[in-house]
Structures are given as structure tokens and as C-alpha cells.
Amino acid sequence: MNRHAMISCLAALLVPAMLAACGGSDDGEHGGSPVPIDVVCRTGELPDGAASASFDVAGWSDRGYDLQLPSTHRCGQPIAVAIVFHGGGGNKSLGKKTTCPDGDTTSDACLDQMALAAGMAVVFPNGTNVSGSGILSPGGIRTWNAGGGTNGYNCVSGNACASHVDDVAYVRSLIASLGTRLTVDPKRVFATGFSNGAALSHRLACQASDLFAAVATVSGENQFALVEGGCAPTQRVAVLDIHGTADGCWPYDGGPGGCIENGLYVSVGATLSHWATRNACVPSTATALSSIAPADGTSVVRFSYAGCAPGGELQHLQIVGGGHFWPRGSSSSLSDSGGVQSRQLDANRALIDWFKSHGRA
């Protein structure tokens, strides 16, 4: 055996898959199957396989989160993460329920189940609680500080916004906590949310673009950027925006609205226009999507923007006749929300497909 062959065989001893090239076996004289190499997980890191657990966020009392992992999860292997922000007045449990058809959390069509099937970790965090609200709603009545509150524009939302809670700092602490439980893929961290949670997702795209590769929002716009200004992402963020034209809580065309808190709301058009400018996109083209459900009085139009800078793709799904609902999600809504719940769009599938195709390079 020449010197190069000897070096190759010695290297093969460290890589079981190469043993055959040297005519040997991984367990010496006995032969047989390769000996598996055990992965030593970091202290606190969750082991291989599916998991469902709740954790606290250091420094944020009563602001814990629920974490779900897919069966394909492997300790030490980078995994995509989708963080789902509940609507105003909800909590982490209701955030999950919102995405489920008719609120059935056992359905495989829920957002968390679709994300798990796609190999993603799913996180449901808690906003700031109204003291004593657990009597009215298990888990509390919670909101996010998504911005606003000046010149007649509504503070989105509730006491979290009025008290100037730093939810961007909270989310950074949340992701740091996740990093002690699993190996987060920094190129595949995504945010989505409903209403107040959607508006927070827009704010995160402005102020935490170093963390999030893409966001997908439902029934909530960028109140922070257009009311308070200062949306200056340090990296491009891909944005998918979903909103109903008959939404009475967050009016599609902006202006006076609010199902619980009255005030002015930023329009869908203004939000999209500003993202198009930030991401160097050219005007959109509209495509009517085919019906995928029995007629319910709604239809879907996709607005696709072209020429966007890499990583800054932009798309809008307009739910014509749709109200303040998660399409194909929970049917519960506030009485004056306006419009109907559309079943012409599988919002969960749209979100998962968006995330799968918009990780960072």
C-alpha cells in the first residue's frame, strides 16, 4: 500500500461511510453494520424527534411560549422556525386556534400541523396580559406593541402599546431562549400573525430584519412604520400580506376602524407601497385565483411584485369580500368585524409555501 492509500484508509476510520474503500469494517474482526455515532446535545437542548413543551422567557414575567417540534427534528441540526403572534385580546392558545379550520385544534389543516409536516419548529408566544383578565379568558387577554398612537392613529394595541412595552426586545429574548432549546437555523426564522400580531410582524420586519428572513401577515398592516416612521431594515425581508376588502376592524383602505379600539388605521395600499419602495420592487400585476371551495361570496386576487431586490420579494393576497378572519381558520370573530370568512384561500398553505421558498441564501 502506498503512502496516499494508507492516509486514505486512516481517514476512513473516522468516517464509517468510507470504510469499504479500504477493505475494512467499522467494528474490527466482527464485521457487520456501522456503529452509529451518538450526538451529544447541549444542556437544555431538546432530544431528537417530536416534542411539545412550554418555556419561559428570561426577564419577561408571564410571557412564556409554546414550542412544537416535528418528528424529523434532530438535536444539533439547524431547523427552520415559524413564530405565530396571536391577535389583540388573544393569547398563545388562541393564536394556535385562530389558524385551525372552525377552531378545531386537532385538524391536520391547522398552521402548526402544516409547519411540522414541512419540518419546521412552531412557536406560539404570549403578549402582555391585562391584569386579572384570566377570569374572563383562560390564558389572559393579551396584546402586542405594534406601534401607532399619534395624530389620531390607533395605538396597536391595548395596554402593550399604551405602556410602550418593548416587544422587539421581547422577541429577541424569545429567540435567544429558543437557541437554548434547539439549533435555530438563522437563515430560516419566520414571523406570522393575525391582526395585532400581523402588525407586530410588520414591525419586526422593520426593526429585527437581522433575525427574520420573511414575514406573512393576516388582517394587519404596518402601523408602526407609517405612523411612527423609521422603518429601516438592515437586511431585505420577504413580505406576504393577506387582507380582506370588507374588514371592518382594520379597514382595507385605512381610515376609521376598530372592533374594540376606535381610531385611524393604516391602509393595505400604503403598507404595500412602502414595502415596494424599501425592497426596490416595481408595480404589481394582478391575477384572479381559481375558486377552491363552494361559493361563499368571496374571491382571491394575487398581486405579485416584480424586480424586487434579492430577499425582498413582495406579494399581496386580496380577499375580495373577506372580513376580519383568518381564511379557512377559526370562524369566530367580533360581531362588527364586517365581511365573511373566506374559504377560497388556504391561508396556512400560502404561509408555509412562502416560508419554504424565502429562506436566506
Side-chain angles (χ1 to χ4, degrees):
M1 179 179 293
N2 61 35
R3 182 171 177 269
H4 293 293
M6 182 178 294
I7 292 174
S8 297
C9 285
L10 288 173
L13 293 175
L14 301 177
V15 186
M18 295 173 60
L19 286 170
C22 298
S25 64
D26 64 310
D27 60 352
E29 60 182 356
H30 300 292
S33 301
V35 176
I37 299 175
D38 292 331
V39 175
V40 179
C41 295
R42 296 170 297 162
T43 301
E45 191 168 2
L46 296 171
D48 292 357
S52 181
S54 299
F55 300 101
D56 295 328
V57 178
W60 296 87
S61 177
D62 190 40
R63 298 285 303 275
Y65 60 95
D66 294 339
L67 169 65
Q68 296 172 241
L69 294 175
S71 60
T72 54
H73 166 251
R74 295 295 175 265
C75 182
Q77 189 174 91
I79 187 171
V81 176
I83 305 178
V84 185
F85 297 100
H86 60 73
N91 52 57
K92 60 183 182 179
S93 296
L94 290 177
K96 175 178 178 177
K97 185 176 182 180
T98 296
T99 73
C100 296
D102 299 319
D104 179 8
T105 57
T106 66
S107 172
D108 290 340
C110 293
L111 178 61
D112 62 318
Q113 294 304 311
M114 285 193 175
L116 293 173
M120 299 179 185
V122 193
V123 178
F124 294 94
N126 261 336
T128 298
N129 194 25
V130 174
S131 180
S133 63
I135 298 175
L136 301 175
S137 174
I141 296 175
R142 301 170 180 270
T143 57
W144 308 100
N145 178 7
T150 61
N151 299 321
Y153 280 87
N154 191 42
C155 187
V156 181
S157 176
N159 65 319
C161 190
S163 300
H164 304 290
V165 174
D166 192 344
D167 274 323
V168 176
Y170 165 79
V171 172
R172 290 187 180 278
S173 296
L174 166 67
I175 293 176
S177 174
L178 284 172
T180 68
R181 309 296 178 188
L182 66 158
T183 301
V184 176
D185 185 342
K187 296 181 179 181
R188 296 187 297 153
V189 179
F190 310 111
T192 185
F194 177 67
S195 189
N196 182 201
L200 177 64
S201 297
H202 279 293
R203 181 171 189 171
L204 292 170
C206 291
Q207 293 190 301
S209 60
D210 56 311
L211 296 180
F212 292 93
V215 301
T217 64
V218 180
S219 300
E221 301 304 318
N222 203 342
Q223 195 87 338
F224 164 76
L226 277 69
V227 176
E228 299 181 26
C231 182
T234 59
Q235 298 185 52
R236 305 288 185 187
V237 177
V239 177
L240 171 64
D241 183 277
I242 302 173
H243 209 118
T245 61
D247 190 332
C249 294
W250 196 306
Y252 189 90
D253 293 326
C259 290
I260 298 177
E261 299 174 321
N262 296 324
L264 300 177
Y265 287 79
V266 166
S267 70
V268 173
T271 293
L272 294 172
S273 176
H274 281 75
W275 276 123
T277 298
R278 293 184 197 100
N279 291 352
C281 305
V282 300
S284 62
T285 57
T287 304
L289 302 188
S290 301
S291 173
I292 60 172
D296 57 13
T298 70
S299 57
V300 182
V301 179
R302 180 174 58 225
F303 292 83
S304 299
Y305 290 74
C308 302
E313 290 77 13
L314 177 63
Q315 187 177 118
H316 173 56
L317 293 173
Q318 179 190 70
I319 314 299
V320 180
H324 200 67
F325 297 93
W326 188 282
R328 289 204 170 194
S330 173
S331 59
S332 62
S333 185
L334 299 171
S335 59
D336 56 350
S337 64
V340 299
Q341 182 183 31
S342 177
R343 297 185 180 276
Q344 302 301 316
L345 174 71
D346 186 342
N348 293 338
R349 174 51 55 199
L351 266 61
I352 295 301
D353 288 347
W354 186 255
F355 292 156
K356 286 172 63 178
S357 60
H358 288 93
R360 287 201 168 115

